[in-house]
Amino acid sequence: MAMLSTAAAAESTHLLIVVGLAGDPEHGELFQKWGTTLAETASQKLGVPKENVTLLSGDRATRDEVTKTFGALTTSAAEDDTVMVVLFGHGTFANKVAKFNLKGPDMTPDDFAALLKRLRSKRVVFVDTASASGPFVETLSGAGRVIVSATRTGSEQYATLFGGPFVDAFTTEAADSDRNGRVSVLEAFDYARRQVGAAYQREGLMQTEHALLDDNGDREGSMEPGPQAKDGQSAAVLSLGSTRHEAAPANEKVRALYAERQALERRIESLKLLKSGMDPDKYAAELETLATELAMKSRQIREAEGAK
């Protein structure tokens, strides 16, 4: 396993991010932020070559553009390279068919399955952070593939929180559970899963999303994968890029403040996504409180950086 980890890190990584449609403008802003942050994290902090990162959003987030990008990957991504595809946006499920919503024709699991078959890479990671994404696991499962969905079924159709903490995981020390300086796909999944559960518990709401990970090709995802479990062995090896974030503030106090601010920002995002299930007065009060705490934390950071 250690030898495989070293080999995987040495090869090139190709990242395709697709930010699809959202149920409303507020959610759309969050999905765009997640996609942009992941692209910047990969190219600026995790060592993924900038030319290997493709972000499709807005007018470019169409089935034709996705197909065109996969066409390029069939030639640019070698057999031993890692190809990671991450979807942010809204998904639907009707007539027993799941869809990832795009401008123009949507894309189904079968649409993506046909594209994945064209890749030469034996290391493929496909992450659908959208609602109603569970059916993608069964269809896309296969040898050499790690498939992640934000929900376990197509009937979990409310806006999902999973994408935000999944992106955070790749630059969050708390996600690196084995402290080896790299965040694996499994570690990112576990971190996001825990953060999602905590957000629902914090607001006293019934959890409406349950993420799955499948990497053994049996077309059945696990909610609690692990390095020694039925699912999780391949995901424990693969990571996004070969290095960890090196630009964190050297000052321990400032670094802690940055982490606290990031946690507040994520709580605000989670609150906005959970808005429809909350009492309006409670939502407004919590949002005001968090916004005030965020402003104070930013001020503390400015003061601490000025005192260095």
Side-chain angles (χ1 to χ4, degrees):
M1 188 69 74
M3 291 176 63
L4 179 58
S5 177
T6 301
E11 305 300 337
S12 292
T13 298
H14 303 259
L15 175 63
L16 167 59
I17 304 165
V18 185
V19 181
L21 297 180
D24 57 57
E26 190 170 53
H27 290 173
E29 292 178 4
L30 291 179
F31 298 150
Q32 181 65 45
K33 176 186 175 183
W34 296 349
T36 301
T37 300
L38 181 60
E40 293 176 348
T41 296
S43 62
Q44 299 176 14
K45 302 171 184 177
L46 298 179
V48 179
K50 191 172 183 179
E51 61 271 20
N52 286 5
V53 179
T54 301
L55 172 61
L56 300 179
S57 62
D59 291 339
R60 295 187 66 206
T62 65
R63 185 165 67 178
D64 286 345
E65 286 293 327
V66 172
T67 302
K68 185 186 301 183
T69 303
F70 266 92
L73 286 171
T74 60
T75 57
S76 63
E79 192 174 274
D80 292 326
D81 288 353
T82 297
V83 175
M84 180 180 286
V85 180
V86 185
L87 310 182
F88 299 104
H90 183 66
T92 56
F93 183 74
N95 300 319
K96 299 182 179 181
V97 177
K99 294 182 179 181
F100 178 68
N101 300 160
L102 295 166
K103 183 175 182 179
D106 298 329
M107 294 189 71
T108 67
D110 286 338
D111 292 330
F112 280 105
L115 296 176
L116 291 180
K117 285 181 180 179
R118 298 169 55 188
L119 298 176
R120 291 181 295 162
S121 174
K122 294 180 180 178
R123 288 193 280 264
V124 174
V125 180
F126 188 97
V127 183
D128 186 351
T129 72
S131 50
S133 52
F136 280 76
V137 172
E138 181 179 358
T139 300
L140 302 184
S141 175
R145 295 179 182 176
V146 178
I147 310 299
V148 173
S149 64
T151 75
R152 61 184 171 188
T153 66
S155 61
E156 293 185 328
Q157 298 190 53
Y158 292 102
T160 54
L161 313 184
F162 185 84
F166 182 80
V167 172
D168 286 347
F170 292 104
T171 53
T172 298
E173 291 184 7
D176 185 13
S177 58
D178 60 8
R179 296 295 185 267
N180 70 345
R182 294 189 310 120
V183 174
S184 68
V185 175
L186 177 62
E187 288 173 326
F189 175 90
D190 282 339
Y191 177 81
R193 178 176 60 84
R194 293 194 303 270
Q195 293 298 308
V196 167
Y200 280 92
Q201 187 175 33
R202 189 164 53 239
E203 302 304 335
L205 298 174
M206 181 180 70
Q207 189 165 330
T208 57
E209 59 180 286
H210 302 82
L212 295 177
L213 185 149
D214 172 89
D215 65 359
N216 67 355
D218 69 353
R219 306 175 69 187
E220 293 183 0
S222 299
M223 288 193 292
E224 296 186 3
Q228 307 302 324
K230 179 173 71 75
D231 288 304
Q233 296 184 39
S234 294
V237 172
L238 296 174
S239 64
L240 177 58
S242 58
T243 61
R244 276 297 306 274
H245 179 28
E246 299 294 341
N251 183 287
E252 185 176 349
K253 178 182 178 181
V254 176
R255 190 163 62 247
L257 289 172
Y258 268 91
E260 291 168 5
R261 183 172 68 177
Q262 184 183 54
L264 285 169
E265 290 172 339
R266 183 62 60 227
R267 286 187 63 182
I268 290 174
E269 291 182 5
S270 297
L271 191 67
K272 290 180 178 179
L273 290 167
L274 295 173
K275 178 181 179 180
S276 61
M278 296 181 62
D279 174 78
D281 291 337
K282 179 182 178 182
Y283 169 80
E286 288 196 29
L287 183 60
E288 182 178 0
T289 298
L290 290 173
T292 300
E293 291 181 14
L294 180 61
M296 292 176 62
K297 193 65 62 178
S298 295
R299 186 175 66 184
Q300 290 176 344
I301 290 174
R302 290 194 299 270
E303 291 174 349
E305 289 180 330
K308 290 189 299 182

